[in-house]
Amino acid sequence: MSSLSTSGSRGYTVFGLSVAALVVVLDQLTKWWILDVVMQPYPRVVEVTPFFNLVLAWNTGVSFGTFGSSHAWMPYVLAAVAFAIVVALLLWLRQADRRYLALALGMVIGGAIGNVIDRFLYGAVADFLDFHIGGWHFWAFNVADSGISVGVALLVLDGLFAGREKS
């Protein structure tokens, strides 16, 4: 029986890593498209709908610009923190016993890696999705941020309801 649970757990790990890879690829492709196609020859606001724009904003901090700094070493500090979190999440992913959990962890891992790539390439994270209502704009974000946010929400839901599934 232990070999069955090991192969199932391995399957969830592969699934989670596949989700992470997909998030990284989508994130980097969309950032390339925004930086090299949409925002050329100069950054501007592209109105897509009455409530959604494409913009270019550079985030030197973490979520919603928290801990933003122009210090040259800050991207490396934030990348190191993200790397430590990714390692911890990878260890958790190896123990995942449900596809839902592997999906959530993969989304967070992929999002963190996508933003770390930006920190090394640009010294900041490229954000470009701008949702707004009237004059109020939500913080600009990207595909990696979406993966992190949705993944964390799924982890919270999993934590709230997983015990019910098992019992």
Side-chain angles (χ1 to χ4, degrees), residues 12-13 17 21 25 39 49 62 69 79 82 85 102 108 114 119-120 125 132 141 151 159 164:
Y12 294 130
T13 301
L17 291 174
V25 168
M39 293 297 161
T49 70
V62 292
S69 173
I85 292 169
V108 177
R119 291 192 193 287
F120 282 117
V125 175
H132 56 90
F141 60 99
R164 293 181 185 174

Side-chain angles (χ1 to χ4, degrees), residues 114-130:
N115 282 341
V116 165
I117 291 170
D118 281 18
R119 291 192 193 287
F120 282 117
L121 290 177
Y122 311 113
V125 175
D127 291 328
F128 56 89
L129 302 171
D130 173 37

Side-chain angles (χ1 to χ4, degrees), residues 35-57:
L35 293 171
D36 290 356
V37 177
V38 175
M39 293 297 161
Q40 293 302 320
Y42 51 85
R44 62 188 186 279
V45 174
V46 178
E47 295 179 17
V48 179
T49 70
F51 59 88
F52 174 66
N53 299 329
L54 294 174
V55 299
L56 181 58

Side-chain angles (χ1 to χ4, degrees), residues 5 20 46 54 61 65 67 76 81 83 89 99 101 110 116 126 132 134 141:
S5 65
V46 178
L54 294 174
F67 305 119
Y76 303 106
V81 170
F83 179 74
L89 292 174
R99 189 173 184 87
L101 178 58
V116 165
H132 56 90
F141 60 99

